[in-house]
Every structure is written in structure tokens, then in C-alpha cells.
Amino acid sequence: MGSEFALPRIPWFSGVEEKIVTQDTAFIAIDVQNDFCPGGALAVADGDQVVPVVNRLMPRYPVRVVTQDWHPADHFSFASNTDGAAPFSLIDASYGPQVLWPDHCVQGTAGADFHKDLLVDAADLIIRKGYRSRIDSYSAFFENDHTTPTGLEGYLRTRGVTKMVLAGLATDFCVRFSAVDGARLGFDVTLVEDGCRAIDLDGSLATAMAEMQAEGVHFRQSTDL
Ligand code: VGL
Ligand code: ZN
């Protein structure tokens, strides 16, 4: 008995009894992909810990975006594509210094897939980035030349978004550049601190936090949202 009132089978409906936040706000989950989680090619310590935070928050927001790092195998940001280069070394790209990474998030591979528990089905939009061989793309808004757009700004503006809440991986790279670009574009940006994890390469986390703070990004715990 009682089964005629069974809960909806769509898992993210479990969020509707929670507070729904203002209608002009987007939740953006950055690069919650296998290669950035423990066991992945560019694993971020405790990267998988962001999944339950994202899953709890994203359903409350009227606009939901997930981003996906999506590189061709010959991507120039891979150390393996530069003779003799070590992973995590720096090269000069046309737009400034570029870290050379271990091969990661190669298009169509398991490493590029989202974490298996991420509520990707709750997202309205999946935005891919880093798919051009000759330029990297940390930010969800622009490639690393800070000029070539991904299209996300237009998507958000045409949906009436003025505020965004960000979580994901990694705090000091893709989350940082997305937050800073969002703020510079005039959006009100909030970072969910416990919904992010960092790579922390040579002090990059401290630099990222200082830059986001200087750009007016708000820092919150997920429990305060
Ligand atoms: C990222 C390094 C290289 C990130 C992506 O998602 O933060 N970091 N590609
Ligand atoms: Zn990448």
C-alpha cells in the first residue's frame, strides 16, 4: 500500500523540497570528471568529494550547467606532445605561460566522462572546452587567450541569468578562471568552497583565492546556501 504516491523516479526531484533559490541564478559545476578524481590521470586530492555537494545544490537552481574538459589526443597542453617536456613544467604559449599537463580528459575516453554519481541528467547544458589542439581552455567562458568565447556568456544572458554559483574541479585552475571571468563579465559570482578541490601547484591555490577575492567573488559553504 502507499505505492501510488511513490517518489518520482528522476533522482534530482529529491531536491525540490529544499529551498529553491532566485530564478536568475545559474549553478555551474566545473569539470567533475574521472581524470580529476582519485585514480584519474590528473587526480585532484579528494576530487570525488565534490560530487555529493554538487548533487545536493544543483537541483535547487533554475539554470544548471556542467562543463567538461574535452581535449583531442594531440592537445598541446599535454607534456607528452612536447619532446622531452615533463608534466607540470611550463612553456610559453602565444597567450602567456601554459602548464604542461599529463594527458587527461581525452575526447571519448573514460577519463573524460563525468564522475559516475554526478547528476549530469539534471543539467540543462553541457559545455565542452579545450577541444582545439593549439589552445587550452580553463575558463568556462573563454579559452586561455581570454578572447575566444565558449558561448556560455550568451547562453546565460539569454536565459536571464545575472548570478552564478560555482563548484567543481579544480579550484585553482578551471574554477578560478571561470569565477574571475564571470565576475569580470558583470555576473555576481559565489564559490562553494566545500564543493571545490584544488591541484595546488607551486602556490596556485593561494594565488587563485586572492585573485577571486580581488574580483569580488563571494565565498560560501554549501550549508549556508
Ligand atoms: C583543469 C588543468 C588542465 C581543470 C583542466 O579542470 O581545472 N586543470 N585541464
Ligand atoms: Zn585540461
Side-chain angles (χ1 to χ4, degrees):
M1 295 299 278
S3 61
E4 62 268 39
F5 295 114
L7 286 168
R9 281 166 298 148
I10 306 170
W12 64 86
F13 271 37
S14 62
V16 297
E17 73 267 21
E18 294 193 64
K19 179 177 64 174
I20 301 282
V21 296
T22 48
Q23 294 294 303
D24 55 1
T25 307
F27 186 89
I28 305 178
I30 305 288
D31 299 1
V32 186
Q33 293 168 259
N34 291 327
D35 271 341
F36 299 123
C37 290
L42 180 42
V44 180
D46 294 329
D48 55 341
Q49 302 292 306
V50 309
V51 173
V53 180
V54 169
N55 288 353
R56 196 167 56 79
L57 291 181
M58 188 158 66
R60 297 193 208 163
Y61 291 85
V63 178
R64 307 163 189 174
V65 178
V66 296
T67 69
Q68 190 172 27
D69 211 36
W70 193 249
H71 299 305
D74 67 350
H75 199 259
F76 95 114
S77 79
F78 296 170
S80 65
N81 290 323
T82 296
D83 281 341
F88 305 106
S89 60
L90 282 172
I91 52 162
D92 287 319
S94 52
Y95 48 78
Q98 166 72 46
V99 180
L100 292 180
W101 302 105
D103 294 22
H104 64 278
C105 298
V106 176
Q107 296 173 1
T109 65
D113 283 348
F114 294 103
H115 186 285
K116 66 175 179 18
D117 297 327
L118 187 74
L119 283 187
V120 180
D121 289 355
D124 305 333
L125 175 73
I126 299 174
I127 189 135
R128 288 176 169 161
K129 58 188 184 59
Y131 48 74
R132 294 187 177 95
S133 296
R134 298 282 104 205
I135 186 165
D136 207 0
S137 187
Y138 294 151
S139 167
F141 291 98
F142 296 103
E143 304 203 344
N144 284 7
D145 60 4
H146 303 297
T147 307
T148 309
T150 62
L152 180 60
E153 179 191 0
Y155 178 86
L156 295 177
R157 290 211 198 280
T158 51
R159 287 201 60 188
V161 169
T162 58
K163 301 176 192 155
M164 63 183 67
V165 177
L166 289 179
L169 305 170
T171 322
D172 41 346
F173 287 93
C174 291
V175 176
R176 165 195 178 180
F177 286 94
S178 301
V180 167
D181 282 344
R184 287 182 182 161
L185 288 168
F187 293 95
D188 179 281
V189 181
T190 296
L191 185 87
V192 186
E193 284 195 77
D194 54 321
C196 300
R197 293 293 185 281
I199 296 174
D200 205 8
L201 197 64
D202 297 327
S204 56
L205 178 58
T207 305
M209 296 303 274
E211 190 189 33
M212 289 189 281
Q213 185 129 43
E215 294 292 340
V217 173
H218 312 289
F219 300 95
R220 297 280 183 277
Q221 298 298 313
S222 62
T223 45
D224 295 334
L225 290 169

